[in-house]
Amino acid sequence: IFFHGASQTQLAFGNGFLCATGGLERGAVIQAAQNAGEYTYDGSDPAHDLSAHVGSTRHFQYWFRDPTGGGAGFNTSNAISLTVLP
């Protein structure tokens, strides 16, 4: 699941860290392939629309299952901060 928030943080979460917080919004559930996940925010439905955030910086992260990683059985990617443009 890709998700984004208004603020940055570093909180223990699963086997890693939650780096995005504040007004979290999630995208649709996707199936990653060969250790890579890809998601397009194209406005095709509310889960893919960033128009409400134009002009603001959002912090994006990917939350995934990791049963072979032990511990909590899930982890998150590194986060990336992006300014949403029209």
Side-chain angles (χ1 to χ4, degrees):
I1 300 171
F2 281 92
F3 62 96
H4 57 94
S7 304
Q8 294 177 332
T9 189
Q10 188 173 7
L11 301 172
F13 184 69
N15 294 339
F17 293 99
L18 179 66
C19 298
T21 190
L24 287 176
E25 294 184 24
R26 68 173 246 187
V29 176
I30 61 122
Q31 181 68 41
Q34 299 178 13
N35 297 322
E38 183 177 312
Y39 188 76
T40 302
Y41 287 93
D42 61 6
S44 62
D45 68 46
H48 305 280
D49 193 8
L50 293 174
S51 61
H53 306 292
V54 170
S56 66
T57 298
R58 299 295 286 181
H59 311 283
F60 293 81
Q61 199 167 8
Y62 181 60
W63 179 7
F64 58 94
R65 292 181 186 159
D66 188 14
T68 60
F74 68 93
N75 204 340
T76 53
S77 68
N78 293 334
I80 185 169
S81 299
L82 301 169
T83 300
V84 181
L85 301 174

